[in-house]
């Protein structure tokens, strides 16, 4: 292919503070319109902003987690433009001196590790929402969201495909949730992505003209929007045209991007330092205190899972994508005392299946880590087989109680009495003389048939290991 | 019975129960009504004032008395007052009833003071004559055909005419000191950060500072004691202890060094003003002060510097008046952009629009470095002039304004001539220093002349002390305009 795509992402994350970035109003999502908008949020005459220290802590936490430079002095600036849901007529943001600069995130793509640079991350306030439905030709303004703290994370143009962009975005998404600075909810707009996309002839160092794709709010749409945009730009260039610098909107319904405004129509935001807020300054001890609160980060946790629990890279990766999942896994390992690999199989396999089916997060799992540990213990001590365990888990998921209760109630306890199993084996062999003949003449595969028949006769409760041993002994004799 | 002007004496009379707050409040309300032709007030709430006075009288009866309990005050209509119209002198806020109190109002309310009403002002504090008010111009009690100065012209006229014992004001480039000079009263602009700006409608945030207009420096100290102090709601207010300003008034000023900026006595200074200021300096010499010449080489650039920075900040501060959430909205429009355009075109007056345009231009891409950044550099140089000057003196003294009050209408068509009124006051705002204007004589037309005393950061105590000692030795501040006894 002649063309090389170049992609950079700007991600806005809503910080999980209790109150807004410059006022004491609550940031809770979902209140009635304008019920969470105080005098400062609606920009009454005379009000002034006061910086929320918790938002600063969260920004520093992020900076530390991506190995960035933490700027002990940063400056808030006003970004001026008129819009009905922007109450002051300007957004307080950071411009020339952001709180975080020059970090990086490593992504894994096609088995290789690639480092994506983070240019900067800066604090700013969110705007309100314009509601165009239900107002009969008028626009409703909801200022509940106005003043919600945002951290805008700007990457370097280091990505070369839509898939890489999605890998980066997923990594970032996992990270901010690990740090507990953002709930990552894309539907509610807590994690929003804009993409800068350009293409250039392979081998060229200068960047091509870029377009900015606005508000693409799911991983899938990010991938589709960028793919579409890359192809669109290549088509334009191959048709002899030129790409114009513009802002484009992705329409998921039509799976296409379309022009929103051109460079000429772009706002002149007239940034200048906000005279209402002194420069944001803190010392190294503040940064150190934040550092103390850093959790184990996804990459470090994955490596530890591999070395400590002997998991393969894939399982360790899946289990550490979300902090809650990793915590759940470790709780089960510790409470069950079972083989960590066995636990990993149950968590990434059966349990994840149920979670996906019911569209639940691990935190809302119908089977708690303690309950799952109780069940795995029963596999480990041979009370039930792995196969029976699936039935037990299903019952547990549907609220029939803990593993022991289910095993008891349904009579699923494994048969480990040698003589009892031997009796069933004898019956099965006696009932199948043809197959016994076949086995004797060297057809090994009928062995499985016998196992199946024994399990069937015991409703799956016979200890499979013992069944195998006894069958082998009997057929050899 | 002539009106007692001194707040210190009024306070004593209230405490001695020689007069009640209700009586006092009624008296001022009557005077406000009688002198409506001055147009000093935009809004007077009789019932509210009397209710506050009654509760002040109850406090006095129960012995819970502070120096301001029961004292009626007027507030510049730039301070938000809960449940009262707060217009900022603008059509765009002509219907705006503030749902909260500015910190300054809160503090005076807590001290038991009574709100007589809200005083007239240049729209959004932009002006030096109070002719830029949507509610019409204010007249100078010393000469009804002259301006009272601005932008706190309503407050200055009210205090000079005895319509209120004292009034609040704000000073961005001279808006307290210049009208105080024009109206023959004392006007104090504290250091930037000394008084909370919360609830004080912003013109130019990095320069705006609330202050007071009073009959004397002694009264200014009483009011500043209540007004000053850190406010967690204003990130630019400074967390620094507030001294008792009244306690420092009578300190001797023998040996205090007064710096005279040579640049403040050159071209442009009116002859009569110059003579009055020189006489005041002689008075200080008599009081034992030492006088030294100082240089302020960059102060000549203060006016152009100010007219980049203040409009730049204003262009952004005034963006919130868009007709969406409160205030004036044009009655007819075709779409959102049209609504914005018509609302702001109709809602703002000429001078406000002029400054929004200047400020927008100065911040625009391609001009920002040449205007805004250059002005910021100049501002630092001017602050540096003061820092160096204060190495050789304790206070700086000079004229407050180049001339005395001019005729109504004389400068409305010449904005630059109007701006030059603030040539001696603007540098003080740019440096964030405290300054006070005190009456120092009259010109041949009978218009008052103001003397400006500038102090170091947070040295309000010193400048009030220096002003008070002058007022102990002179009686200019005790003169009352004819018809307002």
């Amino acid at each position: 292919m002649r063309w090389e795509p170049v992609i950079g992402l700007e991600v806005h994350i809503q910080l999980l503070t209790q109150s807004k970035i410059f006022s004491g109003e609550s940031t809770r999502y979902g209140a009635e319109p304008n019920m969470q908008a105080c005098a400062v949020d609606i920009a009454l005459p005379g009000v002034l902003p006061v910086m929320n220290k918790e938002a600063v802590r969260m920004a520093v936490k992020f900076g530390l987690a991506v190995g960035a430079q933490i700027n002990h002095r940063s400056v808030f600036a006003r970004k001026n433009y008129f819009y009905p849901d922007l109450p002051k007529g300007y957004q307080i943001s950071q411009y020339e001196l952001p709180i975080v600069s020059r970090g990086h995130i490593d992504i894994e793509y096609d088995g290789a590790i690639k480092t994506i640079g983070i240019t900067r991350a800066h604090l700013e306030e969110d705007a309100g929402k314009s509601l165009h439905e239900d107002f009969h030709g008028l626009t409703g303004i909801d200022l509940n969201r106005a003043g919600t703290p945002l951290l805008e994370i700007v990457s370097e143009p280091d990505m070369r495909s839509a898939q890489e962009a999605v890998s980066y975005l997923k990594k970032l998404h996992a990270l901010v949730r690990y740090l507990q600075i953002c709930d990552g909810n894309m539907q509610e707009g807590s994690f929003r992505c804009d993409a800068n996309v350009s293409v250039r002839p392979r081998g060229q160092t200068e960047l091509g003209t870029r377009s900015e794709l606005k508000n693409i709010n799911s991983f899938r749409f990010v991938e589709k929007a960028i793919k579409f945009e890359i192809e669109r730009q290549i088509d334009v260039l191959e048709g002899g045209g030129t790409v114009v610098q513009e802002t484009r909107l992705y329409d998921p319904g039509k799976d296409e991007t379309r022009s929103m405004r051109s460079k000429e129509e772009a706002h002149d935001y007239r940034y200048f330092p906000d005279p209402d807020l002194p420069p944001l300054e803190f010392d190294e001890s503040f940064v150190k205190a934040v550092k103390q609160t850093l959790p184990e980060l996804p990459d470090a946790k994955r490596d530890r899972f591999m070395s400590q629990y002997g998991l393969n890279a894939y399982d360790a990766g899946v289990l550490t994508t979300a902090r809650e999942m990793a915590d759940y896994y470790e709780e089960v390992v510790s409470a069950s005392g079972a083989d960590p690999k066995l636990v990993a199989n149950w968590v990434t396999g059966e349990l994840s299946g149920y979670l996906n089916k019911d569209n639940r997060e691990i935190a809302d799992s119908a089977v708690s880590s303690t309950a799952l540990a109780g069940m795995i213990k029963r596999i480990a001590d041979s009370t039930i087989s792995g196969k029976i365990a699936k039935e037990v888990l299903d019952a547990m998921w549907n609220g029939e109680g803990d593993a022991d209760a289910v095993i008891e109630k349904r009579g699923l306890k494994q048969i480990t009495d040698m003589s009892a199993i031997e009796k069933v084996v004898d019956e099965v062999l006696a009932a199948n003389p043809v197959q016994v003949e076949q086995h004797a003449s060297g057809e090994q595969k009928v062995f499985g048939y016998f196992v199946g028949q024994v399990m069937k006769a015991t409703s799956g409760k016979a200890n499979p290991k013992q069944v195998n041993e006894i069958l082998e002994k009997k057929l050899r004799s | 019975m002539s009106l007692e002007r001194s707040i210190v004496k009024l306070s004593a009379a209230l405490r001695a129960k020689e007069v009640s707050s209700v009586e006092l409040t009624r008296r001022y309300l009557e005077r406000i009504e009688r002198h409506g032709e001055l147009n000093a007030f935009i809004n007077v709430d009789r019932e509210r004032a009397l209710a506050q006075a009654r509760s002040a009288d109850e406090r006095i009866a129960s012995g819970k008395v502070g120096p301001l309990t029961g004292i009626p005050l007027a507030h510049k209509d730039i301070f938000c007052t809960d449940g009262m119209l707060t217009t900022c002198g603008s059509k765009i806020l002509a219907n705006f009833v503030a749902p909260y109190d500015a910190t300054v109002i809160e503090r005076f309310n807590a001290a038991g003071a009574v709100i007589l009403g809200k005083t007239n002002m240049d729209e959004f504090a932009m002006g030096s004559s109070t002719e830029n008010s949507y509610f019409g111009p204010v007249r100078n009690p010393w000469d009804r055909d002259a301006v009272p100065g601005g932008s706190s012209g309503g407050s200055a006229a009210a205090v000079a005419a005895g319509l209120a014992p004292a009034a609040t004001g704000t000073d961005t480039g001279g808006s307290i000191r210049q009208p105080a000079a024009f109206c023959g009263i004392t006007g104090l602009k504290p250091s930037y950060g000394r008084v909370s700006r919360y609830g004080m409608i912003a013109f130019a945030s990095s320069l705006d500072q609330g202050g007071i207009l009073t009959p004397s420096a002694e009264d200014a100290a009483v009011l500043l004691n209540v007004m000053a102090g850190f406010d967690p709601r204003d990130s630019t207010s400074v967390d620094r202890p507030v001294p008792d300003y009244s306690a420092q008034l009578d300190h001797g000023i023998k040996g205090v060094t007064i710096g005279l900026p040579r640049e403040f006595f050159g071209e442009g200074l009116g002859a009569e003003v110059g003579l009055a200021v020189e006489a005041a300096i002689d008075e200080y010499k008599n009081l034992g002060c030492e006088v030294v010449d100082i240089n302020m080489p960059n102060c000549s650039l203060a006016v152009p510097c100010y007219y980049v920075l203040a409009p730049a900040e204003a262009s952004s501060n005034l963006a919130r008046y868009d007709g969406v959430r409160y205030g004036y909205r044009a009655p007819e429009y075709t779409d959102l952009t049209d609504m914005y355009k018509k609302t702001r075109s109709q809602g703002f007056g000429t001078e406000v629009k002029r400054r929004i345009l200047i400020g927008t231009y100065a911040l625009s891409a391609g001009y920002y470095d040449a205007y805004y950044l250059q002005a910021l550099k100049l501002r630092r140089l001017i602050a540096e002039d003061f820092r160096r000057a204060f190495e050789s003196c304790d206070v700086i003294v000079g004229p407050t304004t180049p001339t005395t009050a001019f005729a109504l209408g004389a400068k409305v068509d010449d904005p630059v001539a109007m701006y030059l009124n603030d040539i001696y006051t603007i540098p003080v705002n740019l440096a964030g220093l405290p300054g006070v204007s005190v009456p120092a004589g009259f010109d041949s037309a009978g218009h008052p002349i103001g003397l400006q005393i500038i102090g170091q950061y947070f040295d309000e105590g010193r400048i009030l002390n220096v002003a008070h000692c002058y007022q102990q030795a002179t009686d200019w501040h005790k003169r009352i305009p004819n018809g307002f006894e």
Side-chain angles (χ1 to χ4, degrees), chain A residues 398-418:
Chain A
N398 292 310
E400 287 183 32
D402 66 15
D404 287 343
V406 172
I407 294 165
E408 177 65 34
K409 198 170 78 185
R410 298 195 173 190
L412 297 174
K413 198 159 185 293
Q414 188 159 258
I415 301 166
T416 51
D417 178 343
M418 283 299 252

Side-chain angles (χ1 to χ4, degrees), chain A residues 388 415 420-421 424 452-463 467:
Chain A
I388 291 292
I415 301 166
I421 297 172
V424 179
Q453 290 301 307
V454 173
M455 295 312 279
K456 194 176 165 193
T458 58
S459 309
K461 288 186 287 182
N463 180 316
V467 172

Side-chain angles (χ1 to χ4, degrees), chain A residues 106-312:
Chain A
D106 289 343
I107 61 167
E108 230 181 275
Y109 182 64
D110 266 358
I113 287 177
K114 181 170 176 177
T115 296
I116 307 297
I118 289 175
T119 317
R120 59 184 280 159
H122 65 254
L123 285 163
E124 62 184 27
E125 59 179 339
D126 209 344
K129 278 181 188 162
S130 294
L131 310 166
H132 299 289
E133 286 151 26
D134 308 330
F135 291 97
H136 310 286
L138 298 172
T139 299
I141 305 293
D142 176 8
L143 296 177
N144 283 350
R145 200 180 66 179
T148 300
L150 297 177
L151 188 67
E152 178 174 340
I153 301 157
V154 182
S155 85
E156 290 288 308
D158 285 345
M159 288 151 276
R160 296 290 173 268
S161 69
Q163 293 85 345
E164 274 188 15
V166 171
S167 298
Y168 164 79
L169 204 61
K170 284 189 169 163
K171 201 72 191 280
L172 184 64
H173 188 255
L175 180 65
V176 299
R177 294 183 58 198
Y178 252 81
L179 296 171
Q180 291 174 331
I181 60 173
C182 175
D183 67 18
N185 191 324
M186 294 173 97
Q187 268 95 50
E188 290 175 6
S190 311
F191 187 95
R192 315 198 274 268
C193 177
D194 300 338
N196 288 311
V197 179
S198 64
V199 298
R200 63 183 171 194
R202 214 162 272 283
Q204 180 182 299
T205 46
E206 310 88 277
L207 296 170
T209 306
R210 66 161 199 266
S211 59
E212 186 180 1
L213 308 181
K214 278 280 179 199
N215 272 323
I216 22 184
N217 292 329
S218 79
F219 294 124
R220 200 162 63 90
F221 291 160
V222 167
E223 183 164 354
K224 290 174 93 170
I226 294 174
K227 269 190 179 149
F228 175 89
E229 185 58 18
I230 291 168
E231 276 160 31
R232 189 190 68 84
Q233 291 187 13
I234 292 173
D235 283 351
V236 168
L237 293 170
E238 289 188 339
T242 47
V243 172
V244 288
Q245 189 175 332
E246 63 186 349
T247 303
R248 296 178 73 85
L249 206 64
Y250 177 66
D251 180 344
K254 293 184 177 156
D255 187 23
E256 62 177 31
T257 65
R258 58 173 178 269
S259 185
M260 211 167 110
R261 58 175 177 261
S262 71
K263 190 186 174 188
E264 286 70 33
E265 295 166 277
H267 297 291
D268 176 357
Y269 290 118
R270 292 173 282 119
Y271 281 101
F272 74 107
D274 191 335
D276 287 332
L277 290 162
L280 175 59
E281 288 175 355
F282 46 79
D283 54 20
E284 190 52 35
S285 67
F286 178 79
V287 179
K288 276 200 184 121
V290 175
K291 206 176 240 168
Q292 303 273 305
T293 68
L294 272 186
E296 185 183 23
L297 298 177
D299 287 355
K301 205 182 272 276
R302 191 194 55 191
D303 293 348
R304 179 169 66 79
F305 276 26
M306 290 168 71
S307 58
Q308 183 177 342
Y309 301 126
L311 302 182
N312 61 35

Side-chain angles (χ1 to χ4, degrees), chain A residues 42-46 78 80 87 268, chain B residues 100 199 316-317 320 325-326 365:
Chain A
I42 65 174
L44 285 184
R78 293 184 183 179
N80 295 284
D268 176 357
Chain B
Y100 75 104
S316 174
N317 282 333
R320 69 188 59 194
R325 297 169 313 288
Y326 52 78

Side-chain angles (χ1 to χ4, degrees), chain B residues 278-294:
Chain B
E278 275 168 34
I281 291 160
D282 287 340
E283 189 61 55
Y284 276 118
K285 285 181 186 161
N286 291 338
L287 291 169
C289 293
E290 286 173 31
V291 173
V292 295
D293 278 345
I294 53 168

Side-chain angles (χ1 to χ4, degrees), chain B residues 62-330:
Chain B
S62 67
K64 282 183 254 164
V65 197
L68 288 182
T69 312
I71 299 286
L73 295 176
H75 293 294
K76 187 175 183 178
D77 206 19
I78 200 167
F79 291 100
C80 286
T81 30
D82 194 359
M84 269 181 105
L85 211 54
T86 300
T87 70
C88 221
S90 182
K91 180 181 180 182
I92 215 156
L93 286 177
N95 65 359
F96 177 68
V97 176
Y100 75 104
D101 276 328
T103 299
V104 163
I105 301 290
E106 212 174 72
R107 283 172 173 254
F108 281 126
N109 282 346
V114 172
I115 301 174
L116 288 169
K118 309 292 292 291
T119 59
N120 204 347
M121 56 182 286
D122 280 306
E123 185 180 6
F124 285 101
M126 297 180 191
S128 307
S129 67
T130 318
E131 290 168 296
N132 297 332
S133 170
Y134 173 63
F135 301 92
V138 175
R139 291 171 185 275
N140 190 321
W142 294 92
D143 172 358
R144 321 260 164 127
D145 294 324
V147 301
S151 64
S152 311
S155 288
V159 174
L163 312 188
T168 54
T170 59
D171 191 316
T172 306
S175 280
I176 286 174
R177 290 158 293 157
Q178 185 255 16
F182 278 19
C183 290
I185 57 169
T186 302
L188 172 73
K189 177 203 102 73
S191 310
Y192 185 79
R194 180 78 291 186
V195 171
S196 170
R197 293 189 297 115
Y198 187 77
M200 190 176 104
I201 298 177
F203 157 20
S205 312
S206 76
L207 298 157
D208 296 343
Q209 182 60 208
I212 46 246
L213 298 101
T214 54
S216 66
E218 184 184 35
D219 288 345
V222 175
L223 267 73
L224 186 62
N225 280 337
V226 170
M227 215 181 183
F230 175 66
D231 178 5
R233 290 173 298 188
D234 174 4
S235 309
T236 63
S237 81
V238 176
D239 194 356
R240 217 173 140 133
V242 179
D244 179 355
Y245 295 107
S246 300
Q248 305 172 58
L249 289 170
D250 290 314
H251 292 181
I253 56 166
K254 196 164 189 253
V256 165
T257 310
I258 290 177
L260 301 181
R262 297 228 298 265
E263 293 79 0
F264 285 22
F265 292 87
E267 200 189 337
L269 178 64
E272 289 185 290
V273 174
L275 285 172
V277 171
E278 275 168 34
I281 291 160
D282 287 340
E283 189 61 55
Y284 276 118
K285 285 181 186 161
N286 291 338
L287 291 169
C289 293
E290 286 173 31
V291 173
V292 295
D293 278 345
I294 53 168
N295 283 305
M296 309 283 287
N298 295 294
C299 277
S300 61
L301 296 166
V303 172
C305 167
Y306 175 88
Y307 278 98
V308 171
L309 295 181
E313 292 181 20
S315 70
S316 174
N317 282 333
L318 272 57
R320 69 188 59 194
Y321 309 109
D322 56 5
V324 173
R325 297 169 313 288
Y326 52 78
Y328 177 78
R329 183 191 288 189

